[in-house]
């Protein structure tokens, strides 16, 4: 018998229409996530109807789902758990979905008994999103349902406005959940708790005490089979608007009136409205050596696989504080951090050679990986005679609590929130359109791409961008290893 989590999951059983059910995202994240949510008792009842181009039946879909759990789930099902999950699965080929999908949904609802909720997940390429929306409408499955959309949410302001207008012909804004898996991670939500539940930090979370902020998401991976897709979007459209700016919104927002979806979304949107338009002179675009020779890439491509930029929030809290954002492919390390640099105090009282200031300002750092970590660096005196200072740090890791097993994977958390109708971790049409609006100067006049070697930290021009500061990655002090005895 699955454990029940009252107050955490949705009130009613769920029927999930998973469009793109045999695709890579579905196999890697969505099917394993839905299995865990069902098996762990987060959902009071669930039926999943797969829809895709593959001309298979329900048994064929169950075979794909079984292999997906074997290959990608961190929680391998027992024989009885698999049998229970397999019984929740059904399948409708896309070719007949407009005629037969509603019948499959009604059968699923009847099998659950009582009141249910309907959730559509569009795990499809961008050009297939609106056709899928129209198919759901034609099948009579739009009214009263909820829909999860994958990025990109447009590629510029005009396309975002058009996309939202087309969506709103079928679904109201309250029905739409634009998913960003970065915000589904435990550490992103922990920023809210850290800021607003602790009297130590919120009073200094402003321009008077913070010198600058870095949001840094380098990736070691290349593009694999995504080169043709990436050629159309590049690093800025793929990562900055949909991920890094969303993290910036959580980090920079004012205190909401309550921890409810509407107040939190409003405070995030205030941050986006306060963002100054991006200046091309404050942007470095890069492309790793060898990208142009990859399949599906124009030999003269100017698409960036790396982007670093400086932006400003023109409001009372953050005026004058630069925010530095960086992300790219084939870089030296894979990290996801927010690093907050505090203003340095006067140091005249310290003797020459003391080491004060030699390793930069004090930093508060959030690691946005699933296994959440936080670090606060500071100067402390080295033991012995004289006044010699070293950079030290206080570090916390989720492993320290013994609760790491309770962490929901990002997609699991976001699917659960959509089932509950909770928009807290999802962006709005207004927010997305505003971000494309401030991005217009860069998109209209992008600086030329600069080449960088795979395994590096990007083009050398990034150091001029952040000067007189320095990039926090690579760290001057490594994270403590939670598996090392005495760490």
């Amino acid at each position: 018998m699955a454990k029940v989590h009252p107050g955490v999951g949705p009130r009613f059983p769920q029927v999930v229409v998973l469009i793109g059910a045999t695709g890579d995202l579905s196999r890697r994240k969505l099917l394993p996530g839905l299995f865990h949510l069902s098996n762990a008792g987060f959902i009071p009842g669930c039926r999943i109807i797969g829809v895709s181009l593959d001309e298979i039946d329900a048994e064929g879909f169950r075979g794909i789902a079984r292999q997906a759990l074997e290959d990608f789930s961190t929680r391998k099902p027992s024989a009885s758990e698999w049998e229970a999950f397999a019984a929740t699965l059904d399948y409708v080929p896309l070719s007949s979905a407009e005629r037969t999908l509603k019948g499959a949904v009604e059968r699923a609802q009847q099998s659950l008994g009582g009141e249910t909720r309907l959730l559509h997940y569009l795990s499809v390429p961008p050009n297939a999103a609106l056709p899928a929306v129209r198919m759901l409408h034609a099948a009579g499955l739009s009214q009263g349902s909820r829909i999860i959309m994958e990025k990109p949410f447009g590629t510029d302001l005009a396309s975002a406005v058009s996309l939202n207008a087309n969506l709103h012909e079928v679904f109201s804004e309250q029905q739409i959940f634009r998913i960003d898996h970065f915000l589904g991670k435990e550490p992103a939500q922990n920023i809210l708790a850290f800021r607003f539940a602790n009297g130590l930090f919120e009073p200094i979370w402003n321009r008077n005490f913070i010198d600058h902020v870095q949001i840094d998401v380098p990736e070691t991976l290349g593009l694999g089979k995504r080169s043709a897709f990436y050629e159309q979007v590049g690093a800025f459209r793929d990562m900055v608007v949909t991920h890094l700016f969303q993290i910036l919104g959580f980090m920079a927002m004012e205190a909401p009136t309550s921890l409810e979806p509407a107040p939190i979304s409003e405070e995030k949107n205030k941050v986006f409205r306060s963002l100054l338009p991006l200046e091309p002179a404050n942007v470095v675009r890069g492309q790793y050596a060898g990208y142009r020779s990859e399949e599906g890439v124009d030999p003269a491509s100017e698409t960036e696989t790396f982007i670093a930029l400086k932006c400003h929030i023109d409001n009372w809290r953050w005026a004058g504080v630069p925010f530095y954002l960086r992300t790219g492919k084939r870089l030296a390390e894979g990290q996801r951090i927010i690093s907050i640099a505090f203003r340095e105090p006067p140091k005249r009282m310290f003797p020459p050679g003391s080491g004060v200031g030699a390793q930069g300002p004090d930093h508060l750092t959030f690691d946005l990986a699933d296994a959440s970590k936080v670090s606060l660096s500071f100067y402390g005196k080295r033991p012995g005679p004289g006044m010699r200072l070293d950079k030290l740090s206080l570090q916390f890791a989720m492993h320290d609590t013994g609760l790491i097993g309770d962490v929901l994977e990002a997609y699991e958390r976001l699917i659960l929130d959509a089932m509950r109708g909770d928009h807290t971790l999802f962006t709005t049409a207004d927010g997305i359109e505003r971000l494309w609006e401030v991005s217009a100067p860069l998109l209209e006049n992008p600086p030329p791409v600069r080449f960088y070697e795979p395994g590096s930290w990007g083009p050398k021009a990034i150091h001029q961008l952040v000067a007189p500061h320095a990039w926090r990655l690579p760290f001057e002090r490594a994270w403590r290893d939670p598996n090392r005895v005495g760490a």
Side-chain angles (χ1 to χ4, degrees):
M1 178 71 68
K3 180 181 177 182
V4 178
H5 297 267
V8 176
R11 292 175 55 198
F12 301 106
Q14 303 285 315
V15 175
V16 180
V17 174
L18 180 53
I19 303 179
T22 61
D24 186 64
L25 176 63
S26 178
R27 291 184 297 106
R28 288 178 177 274
K29 296 293 185 181
L30 306 183
L31 288 169
L34 286 165
F35 162 73
H36 177 238
L37 292 176
S38 299
N39 183 63
F42 285 103
I43 311 171
C46 187
R47 296 292 184 270
I48 301 162
I49 304 170
V51 179
S52 79
L53 292 169
D54 296 86
E55 294 291 335
I56 57 177
D57 58 11
E59 277 305 310
F61 180 47
R62 290 183 187 115
I64 290 171
R66 185 75 174 97
Q67 193 62 49
L69 297 187
E70 288 295 323
D71 293 344
F72 302 114
S73 178
T74 58
R75 307 170 179 93
K76 305 302 180 188
S78 66
S80 60
E81 289 170 343
W82 164 248
E83 287 178 11
F85 185 64
T88 71
L89 302 177
D90 197 1
Y91 185 84
V92 172
L94 185 62
S95 59
S96 64
E98 194 171 313
R99 302 189 314 275
T100 62
L101 182 56
K102 187 171 185 178
V105 168
E106 289 174 346
R107 289 192 298 273
Q109 291 170 330
Q110 291 166 4
S111 71
L112 290 167
E115 191 171 354
T116 62
R117 293 288 183 268
L118 179 58
L119 174 70
H120 308 296
Y121 197 120
L122 268 57
S123 178
V124 296
N127 61 356
L130 285 178
V133 166
R134 297 186 185 104
M135 180 274 291
L136 291 171
H137 185 55
L141 295 172
S142 57
Q143 187 172 0
S145 64
R146 294 164 177 152
I147 183 167
I148 298 178
M149 306 283 298
E150 282 282 345
K151 66 167 188 169
F153 313 120
T155 55
D156 54 20
L157 179 57
S159 61
V161 170
S162 175
L163 174 63
N164 288 329
N166 280 281
L167 287 175
H168 290 158
E169 290 178 0
V170 178
F171 295 99
S172 71
E173 183 64 18
Q174 280 300 109
Q175 292 176 273
I176 302 169
F177 293 79
R178 298 170 185 82
I179 198 166
D180 173 10
H181 69 274
F182 271 50
L183 294 189
K185 293 181 178 296
E186 199 73 34
Q189 303 152 56
N190 205 27
I191 294 170
L192 295 181
F194 192 91
R195 283 188 59 187
F196 300 126
N198 297 297
L200 177 61
F201 291 101
E202 180 55 24
I204 61 172
W205 208 269
N206 56 58
R207 69 185 191 281
N208 296 321
F209 298 93
I210 292 178
D211 185 78
H212 66 277
V213 177
Q214 296 181 25
I215 301 174
D216 212 348
V217 187
E219 297 180 283
T220 57
L221 297 175
L223 295 169
K225 297 179 180 179
R226 296 179 68 233
S227 298
F229 161 76
Y230 208 79
E231 184 70 358
Q232 306 301 315
V233 294
F236 181 80
R237 289 179 170 93
D238 186 47
M239 288 291 291
V240 177
V241 174
T242 50
H243 292 327
L244 274 66
F245 276 156
Q246 302 301 323
I247 295 171
L248 183 149
F250 262 73
M251 186 270 158
M253 64 187 275
E254 297 294 324
T257 55
S258 69
L259 290 178
E260 295 295 323
I264 290 175
S265 291
E266 175 57 20
E267 295 304 333
K268 276 180 57 186
N269 285 345
K270 285 181 183 177
V271 173
F272 300 153
R273 289 196 291 269
S274 299
L275 269 174
L276 293 176
L278 300 182
E279 299 181 16
N282 289 334
V283 178
V284 175
R285 297 169 68 239
Q287 187 185 96
Y288 64 77
Y291 170 76
R292 293 180 176 179
S293 62
E294 294 188 9
E295 184 178 352
V297 175
D298 184 340
S301 173
E302 286 290 305
T303 299
E304 79 278 357
T305 61
F306 170 97
I307 189 123
L309 61 90
K310 177 169 65 173
C311 61
H312 287 88
I313 301 171
D314 187 21
N315 64 15
W316 189 262
R317 183 182 290 265
W318 297 113
V321 177
F323 287 76
Y324 298 99
L325 281 57
R326 175 173 64 170
T327 187
K329 303 291 186 183
R330 302 288 299 275
L331 296 176
E333 293 180 23
Q335 295 274 2
R336 295 170 179 173
I337 71 157
I338 301 174
S339 190
I340 298 161
F342 293 99
R343 294 192 181 277
E344 297 189 67
K347 303 184 181 70
R348 286 192 162 197
M349 60 183 288
F350 291 95
S354 66
V356 65
Q359 296 185 57
D362 301 334
H363 285 88
L364 175 64
T365 304
F366 295 88
D367 185 338
L368 299 182
D370 285 322
S372 173
K373 290 186 278 191
V374 181
S375 173
L376 178 64
S377 70
F378 57 92
Y379 284 99
K381 183 184 176 299
R382 184 185 299 177
M387 182 57 73
R388 290 283 297 162
L389 303 181
D390 286 329
K391 199 69 171 226
L392 309 173
S393 69
L394 298 172
Q395 295 188 5
F396 159 82
M398 186 64 71
H399 290 279
D400 300 336
T401 67
L403 299 175
I404 189 67
D406 293 344
V407 174
L408 286 178
E409 198 275 334
Y411 279 97
E412 296 171 356
R413 169 63 190 266
L414 293 169
I415 291 171
L416 196 63
D417 282 356
M419 289 177 172
R420 296 169 60 226
D422 186 339
H423 280 85
T424 301
L425 302 176
F426 298 86
T427 192
T428 65
D430 289 346
I432 281 291
E433 289 175 15
R434 172 57 184 167
L435 290 175
W436 286 120
E437 184 181 1
V438 301
S439 302
L442 171 62
L443 298 177
E444 293 167 1
N445 187 28
V449 294
R450 302 167 184 260
F451 295 106
Y452 63 96
E453 289 300 316
S456 70
W457 284 101
K460 297 187 184 304
I462 62 171
H463 302 296
Q464 286 77 48
L465 176 69
V466 79
H469 316 298
W471 290 100
R472 189 82 202 287
L473 287 175
F475 285 128
E476 78 281 351
R477 179 181 175 88
W479 290 104
R480 182 177 71 245
D481 181 359
N483 298 313
R484 183 167 58 85
V485 176

